[in-house]
Amino acid sequence: MAELVYPPVVLAAKTAFRLLDLKLDVRGTEHIPAAGGAVIACNHVSYLDFLFCGLGAQPAKRLVRFMAKREIFANRVAGPLMRGMHHISVDRAAGAESYRAALEALKGGEVVGVFPEATISRSFTVKEIKSGAARMAAEAGVPLIPMALWGTQRMWTKGRDRELTKRHVPITVLAGAPMHPTTDDDMDAVTEDLRGRMSALLDTIQRDYPDEPAGPDDRWWLPAHLGGTAPTPEAAAELDRRKPE
């Protein structure tokens, strides 16, 4: 397919990252296949995650087709860009069509990006995840690659003001070894395994993160189990029930 939009967007994003002097640490890129279909399953802590998750596929010269809620496609600015980059619109009330579109892309050799938590995690831990990523990988016969990122929440996340011009923020992206689910597997077990792998990757990059909060009021971007003031997973789940995205 013609790529008239995606390459300029990638170039613009990389230019912005340089101007902001973001401290990018992208690891595990050897796990992204240079050809053929694959599903990337990434944690979700920020509205900017798709930009940085896609960086994990750049060394393999792959463009990731992200599954994103249809409301983004309806936006007069973001919509044309999303369609031009051949991302996949998701209607949460009727997901069969988007699932078929993702499956078709995978069978056509594309890399599809999924945030299986479905919404941003307010606790900055990995929430319960949906089984769609595992099912798609199994049905398409492609690898399922767990990924975690950290630091993006400091620029724009749920319940906080945007700080898109924030400089010198460390951003870490870590891809893990691929899984190879099949249609004979128990998808609930595969999904739980995927969540465990995503959580382990996230734990690694959270604990290795090279920056600390500037003071007590800046501890909001750390999860509670690391001494931050983000909601616990239980409190975050209650917030999601009362204030759904």
Side-chain angles (χ1 to χ4, degrees):
M1 66 180 77
E3 298 294 352
L4 301 178
V5 177
Y6 215 143
V9 169
V10 170
L11 180 60
K14 288 182 175 180
T15 300
F17 299 161
R18 284 194 298 270
L19 291 173
L20 293 172
D21 191 28
L22 300 183
K23 310 300 184 183
L24 298 174
D25 179 10
V26 184
R27 289 179 267 153
T29 58
E30 69 275 9
H31 297 306
I32 310 298
V39 176
I40 294 177
C42 190
N43 72 310
H44 201 9
V45 294
S46 165
Y47 294 109
L48 304 175
D49 287 343
F50 70 98
L51 291 172
F52 296 94
C53 178
L55 285 179
Q58 283 291 296
K61 297 181 171 57
R62 306 302 303 274
L63 297 175
V64 183
R65 315 300 176 182
F66 285 98
M67 300 187 74
K69 61 183 182 180
R70 67 174 183 174
E71 288 83 355
I72 300 175
F73 289 78
N75 182 279
R76 62 178 183 150
V77 176
L81 291 174
M82 297 293 283
R83 287 185 288 274
M85 290 184 280
H86 308 292
H87 293 316
I88 300 165
S89 175
V90 176
D91 181 352
R92 291 175 179 169
E97 184 176 346
S98 56
Y99 182 87
R100 285 194 296 269
L103 205 57
E104 182 178 342
L106 290 168
K107 290 179 177 179
E110 298 286 352
V111 177
V112 172
V114 179
F115 296 105
E117 295 167 279
T119 59
I120 289 172
S121 171
R122 299 175 192 262
S123 68
F124 305 140
T125 62
V126 179
K127 300 163 52 174
E128 294 296 323
I129 66 174
K130 309 293 185 182
S131 64
R135 290 189 292 110
M136 285 190 298
E139 192 169 343
V142 301
L144 172 61
I145 302 163
M147 182 179 283
L149 48 78
W150 187 241
T152 56
Q153 78 280 10
R154 298 177 66 186
M155 300 181 73
W156 189 15
T157 193
K158 189 182 290 186
R160 303 287 304 190
D161 292 336
R162 285 175 286 188
E163 294 190 65
L164 300 180
T165 58
K166 191 176 182 67
R167 294 173 56 80
H168 315 306
V169 178
I171 305 288
T172 310
V173 182
L174 177 60
M179 303 166 63
H180 297 278
T182 72
T183 53
D184 293 329
D185 292 335
D186 180 337
M187 285 299 108
D188 288 339
V190 174
T191 299
E192 192 56 34
D193 185 12
L194 172 62
R195 180 174 183 250
R197 294 180 187 222
M198 291 168 60
S199 294
L201 293 170
L202 179 58
D203 185 62
T204 294
I205 58 180
Q206 283 176 334
R207 294 185 184 279
D208 291 347
Y209 193 64
D211 209 357
E212 295 285 344
D217 292 341
D218 194 39
R219 301 192 72 80
W220 64 267
W221 55 266
L222 280 181
H225 72 275
L226 292 180
T229 57
T232 64
E234 295 77 17
E238 180 59 28
L239 280 171
D240 284 340
R241 280 190 289 271
R242 288 194 282 115
K243 298 178 181 179
E245 188 177 51

